[in-house]
């Protein structure tokens, strides 16, 4: 009877050990997309000719001229391109200047046909 009890204790101990190792290994696995998305300082970044803009919810009712189109998209901070890049707006999104506003300060982002929001230069955010 003692041998049988020892055998059951060993089996249960092994099962607990295997379960624990499997569970903790799965929990500690790093999902790099999740980490990269959460590590951005701002969630709606546009990089245009070396300037960094942050998308807002402010509507833009008048646009001036087209200044570019998003050509590169990535949620990974290591994949940044300094010309026509975004971590939020998709490739093909059009960018416009705003009348009487320097493009060094803000730009308009076309979020749908004839609907625009303002993206302000990161240096203006305090």
């Amino acid at each position: 009877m003692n041998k049988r009890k020892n055998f059951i204790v060993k089996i249960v101990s092994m099962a607990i050990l295997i379960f624990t190792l499997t569970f903790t290994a799965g929990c500690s696995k790093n999902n790099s997309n999740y980490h990269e998305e959460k590590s951005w300082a701002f969630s709606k970044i546009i990089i245009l000719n070396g300037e960094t803009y942050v998308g807002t919810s402010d509507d833009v009712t008048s646009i001036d001229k087209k200044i570019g189109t998003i050509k590169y998209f990535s949620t990974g901070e290591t994949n940044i391109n300094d010309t026509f890049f975004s971590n939020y707006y998709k490739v093909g999104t059009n960018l416009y200047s705003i009348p009487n506003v320097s493009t060094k300060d803000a730009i308009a982002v076309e979020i749908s046909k004839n609907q625009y929001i303002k993206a302000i230069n990161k240096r203006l955010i305090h």
Side-chain angles (χ1 to χ4, degrees):
M1 191 68 133
N2 229 359
K3 284 185 177 184
R4 186 168 189 213
K5 205 180 245 186
N6 284 342
F7 178 73
I8 291 173
V9 168
K10 285 181 182 180
I11 294 294
V12 170
S13 297
M14 294 274 283
I16 290 172
L17 179 64
I18 290 170
F19 175 79
T20 303
L21 290 175
T22 303
F23 181 76
T24 56
C27 289
S28 67
K29 212 171 194 179
N30 183 12
N31 183 334
S32 62
N33 284 343
Y34 179 80
H35 174 72
E36 291 169 349
E37 288 177 8
K38 293 296 184 189
S39 63
W40 287 96
F42 300 98
S43 63
K44 298 179 181 180
I45 290 179
I46 296 170
I47 298 178
L48 174 64
N49 298 324
E51 295 285 341
T52 301
Y53 301 86
V54 179
T56 69
S57 58
D58 299 340
D59 289 329
V60 174
T61 56
S62 178
I63 58 167
D64 196 9
K65 62 182 179 180
K66 184 176 176 181
I67 57 174
T69 302
I70 299 295
K71 294 182 180 178
Y72 305 98
F73 170 85
S74 177
T75 57
E77 288 187 73
T78 58
N79 300 327
I80 295 175
N81 183 296
D82 67 353
T83 307
F84 305 114
F85 169 85
S86 181
N87 70 338
Y88 180 82
Y89 303 101
K90 301 297 182 196
V91 170
T93 300
N94 292 318
L95 309 172
Y96 296 87
S97 59
I98 302 171
N100 304 315
V101 177
S102 169
T103 55
K104 294 284 184 186
D105 294 335
I107 60 174
V109 181
E110 187 173 32
I111 57 173
S112 63
K113 187 166 178 67
N114 298 319
Q115 185 178 6
Y116 310 91
I117 57 97
K118 184 186 283 185
I120 59 175
N121 196 307
K122 182 178 82 170
R123 68 179 163 71
L124 300 175
I125 298 172
H126 303 303

